[in-house]
Amino acid sequence: MVVCSKPALDTFSLINDFKPTTFVSGIPVIDLSKPDAKILVVKACEEFGFFKVINHRVPIEFIQKLESEAVKFFSLPLPQKEEAGPANPFGYGNKRIGPNGDIGWIEYILLRSNPQFISERSLSIFGESPEVFCSAANDYISSVRMMTCEILELLAEGLGIEQRNVFSKLLMEEESDCLFRINHYPPCPNVQPLSHPNIIGFGEHTDPQIISVLHSNNISGLEISLRDGTWVPVPPDQSSFFINVGDSLQVLTNGRFKSVKHRVLTNGLKSRVSMIYFGGPPLDEKIAPLPTLIEEGEESLYKEFTWCEYKKSVYKSRLADNRLLHFQKLRAAADGLQSPDHILKY
Ligand code: GA4
């Protein structure tokens, strides 16, 4: 069982290590139209678990349409937004993230990404005219899903795996458990550089799925954690997508790819809107290191689990918990086979 790392908080999470970070733009940028993309994506997943993609072929109109629908929704009066139903886990959420006391300066819509679910929930989100939101969300999601599968196939190729769709098929199955989240980080009135510099929008965490694909408007706030624990701000770029390796891909690659820890800081003046597609496998899918990725003399670092088992433990955890710890083989932890921030920090 996963044990909560901290008692439930009624206040906003605070960042203990706040210090002004310098502008760093060393984040890998992958041009999906270039032949070296498959090599570079593997490198980025190994070094950062994170990269930005350009030339992604997701139509800009799809992005703009859905973002403007989202802005319309978030501008509604609170009681109307609440009619979308509380996010437990799907629906409209305000400040509360997940079921275990995490809180952020955020409101959001969390949905399953399949068209039928989107269509049912569009009714409660946009009661009067759900069609526009529904078609905007479905166009966006299907196009982003195609790009995600292309990236997963590049990763398989780059890793030298014969079965090109070994990862992408997990997202293509009808039973795949993919989610879609639209976050709105309103300007945070309390942020005054000297008094309260550190109220957070979305606390540090890794994503449990295989891969996450994020688009945001041009407002900063997203940060990723490097292997040495340094937080690096990700300069926003609304013409690109940002890709996160999730816990499940870390396991499938036996720790070769790193599930990236990330967080979102608040902005004192401007609203940030982000849209994230989470690529998850079917509930009964077994998650374990791919045998072709276990080199001679190497062992599997993780116990096999189904996505359903992992999800159950995820929903018992707090955002900042290291959820993979419970699925790691003891030897792996004892031998320090993984980077110390995976084993020792929690
Ligand atoms: C993090 C990634 C996705 O946003 C999410 C989140 C989920 C939720 O908001 O309901 C969780 C979080 C996320 C991991 C730990 C649990 C569950 C909130 C939380 C405290 C939708 C997901 O799949 O896991």
Side-chain angles (χ1 to χ4, degrees), residues 2-8 102 316-322 346:
V2 175
V3 178
C4 294
S5 59
K6 292 175 223 148
D102 287 288
K316 286 182 194 148
S317 69
R318 297 290 303 269
L319 265 187
D321 290 340
N322 178 356
Y346 298 91

Side-chain angles (χ1 to χ4, degrees), residues 309-326:
E309 285 163 344
Y310 194 56
K311 264 190 90 169
K312 279 193 188 142
S313 113
V314 162
Y315 277 96
K316 286 182 194 148
S317 69
R318 297 290 303 269
L319 265 187
D321 290 340
N322 178 356
R323 284 168 277 277
L324 278 182
L325 204 59
H326 304 270

Side-chain angles (χ1 to χ4, degrees), residues 159-178:
L159 284 166
I161 300 173
E162 228 169 88
Q163 191 192 348
R164 212 174 166 257
N165 70 350
V166 66
F167 301 128
S168 62
K169 72 175 184 3
L170 303 173
L171 274 57
M172 293 305 290
E173 282 168 44
E174 197 166 330
E175 306 299 309
S176 294
D177 184 28
C178 299

